[in-house]
Amino acid sequence: RIDNQLRGRAGRQGDPGSSRFFISLEDDLMKIFGPAADRIGRLMTSLEVEPIEHPWVARSIASAQKKVEGMHFDARKHVVEYDDVMNKQRQIVYEERRKILEGADARGNIMGYVREIIQKGVDQHCQSRHAENWDLEGLVKYLSAYLPLAPGTQVPDEALQNGPEGLVENLFASASEAYDRKVEEVGTDLMPMVERDVMLRTIDWQWMEYLTQMEHFREGIGLRAYGQRDPLVEYKNEAFEMFNELRDRIEASIVANVYRVQVQRNAPPPPAPPLVRQMTESGPGEVDGSNGAGRKATQQQRRAAPLGAGAMAVPAGAAASAAAQHKIGRNDPCWCGSGKKYKRCHGR
């Protein structure tokens, strides 16, 4: 396969021709599949002969190449088979996350997890046919790790009269009442958001831990071959059991976190005070200090002695000397009182 790729790259232009390959006797291919390579190499070194060209040599090299490619193909095939196991599990986990994001009934799923936990605890601690032989203390201790039960909680006698099934229903009813109290504590408007957040965070955290665990497990699964067992079959069996344990851990963690979650409502921030902006008039004359001083002086003069019908006219020489003294800017009002800018009046 590699030789054909080399031929294709060398003859990419499509011109007619021939190809010739050279292989060294020190190549790994000849060392592994050619036991006589060392003897031939020493013989060629001592006799200083030309490179060997014979159909038998070409066929032996081609046979060795097929063996190597077969080994690599089997290795890639095993990698794909190992990856298929994780891909199927990944699809299941991602499907659960997608349902939660699309607005699935989170409370219904959580209460289903609660029933499974109670059923598992009853099956473990209430195996006897007689209620007096049940390990009720162990059952309460087991359930207190997930449900809001005090360590010294006593199971009522009426819950033991209908057998294990009645005990499961009684405990599930108590868990439902505790969940209703949690909903009232958190708030009916926030509880769906809390349920979704707890479920997503728990699934993500447990899935990441599971991937790390499976990576370490896969590195050492090849040692099962020394015990005359197929590593792939062992990997599939172990992965199936570990994935079931993962789902149990996810469900148990979701139940424990939902019953123990605490929501803190922060008070809304006080409204910001209104911004008071101080607006000042500015003009081109205020950019330069001298022009600004001249403009202010001119405005003061105009306010002090406005021109009117009964006002006395200012002598031209005195006004000109005042204008020269204060250095009126080009955009300032003219000193003559015409209302025009200085550059449009006497500043021409």
Side-chain angles (χ1 to χ4, degrees), residues 94-292:
Y94 286 4
E95 183 64 24
E96 293 294 332
R97 294 189 79 259
R98 188 178 299 108
K99 290 179 181 179
I100 297 173
L101 292 174
E102 291 177 354
D105 185 11
R107 176 167 182 173
N109 293 334
I110 293 174
M111 298 313 297
Y113 301 157
V114 172
R115 180 178 289 275
E116 291 180 3
I117 292 175
I118 295 175
Q119 185 67 49
K120 185 182 296 183
V122 172
D123 293 341
Q124 292 178 359
H125 299 86
C126 304
Q127 299 179 359
S128 177
R129 296 182 179 179
H130 304 285
E132 57 271 11
N133 296 329
W134 291 352
D135 185 11
L136 298 180
E137 294 182 1
L139 176 61
V140 172
K141 184 178 180 180
Y142 170 79
L143 295 178
S144 61
Y146 311 104
L147 304 178
L149 298 177
T153 303
Q154 299 293 332
V155 179
D157 296 336
E158 57 271 12
L160 308 177
Q161 297 177 359
N162 297 326
E165 293 79 8
L167 179 59
V168 170
E169 294 299 331
N170 185 277
L171 293 175
F172 181 74
S174 301
S176 299
E177 294 177 359
Y179 196 85
D180 293 337
R181 292 193 297 269
K182 174 59 68 174
V183 172
E184 295 178 359
E185 176 186 349
V186 175
T188 56
D189 55 339
L190 292 180
M191 195 60 188
M193 187 184 305
V194 172
E195 293 171 346
R196 185 180 66 176
D197 185 71
V198 169
M199 295 180 72
L200 291 177
R201 288 177 180 270
T202 304
I203 291 175
D204 294 342
W205 173 257
Q206 293 291 343
W207 176 246
M208 289 188 295
E209 293 291 330
Y210 177 75
L211 291 179
T212 304
Q213 183 181 2
M214 291 300 296
E215 183 179 357
H216 295 318
F217 174 67
R218 182 174 174 178
E219 292 177 356
I221 194 63
L223 300 177
R224 302 288 181 92
Y226 290 102
Q228 303 300 322
R229 288 181 291 181
D230 188 359
L232 180 59
V233 176
E234 294 293 322
Y235 180 79
K236 290 181 178 180
N237 295 334
E238 294 287 343
F240 178 76
E241 296 178 0
M242 295 173 67
F243 186 71
N244 290 335
E245 295 176 358
L246 169 67
R247 302 186 69 174
D248 294 340
R249 289 198 305 270
I250 290 176
E251 295 176 0
S253 299
I254 290 175
V255 172
N257 293 333
V258 165
Y259 275 103
R260 290 170 173 79
V261 67
Q262 298 292 333
V263 178
Q264 181 179 1
R265 295 176 178 267
N266 296 327
L275 297 178
V276 179
R277 297 182 179 179
Q278 297 181 355
M279 301 180 64
T280 57
E281 296 182 359
S282 61
E286 294 184 0
V287 178
D288 188 7
S290 60
N291 293 342

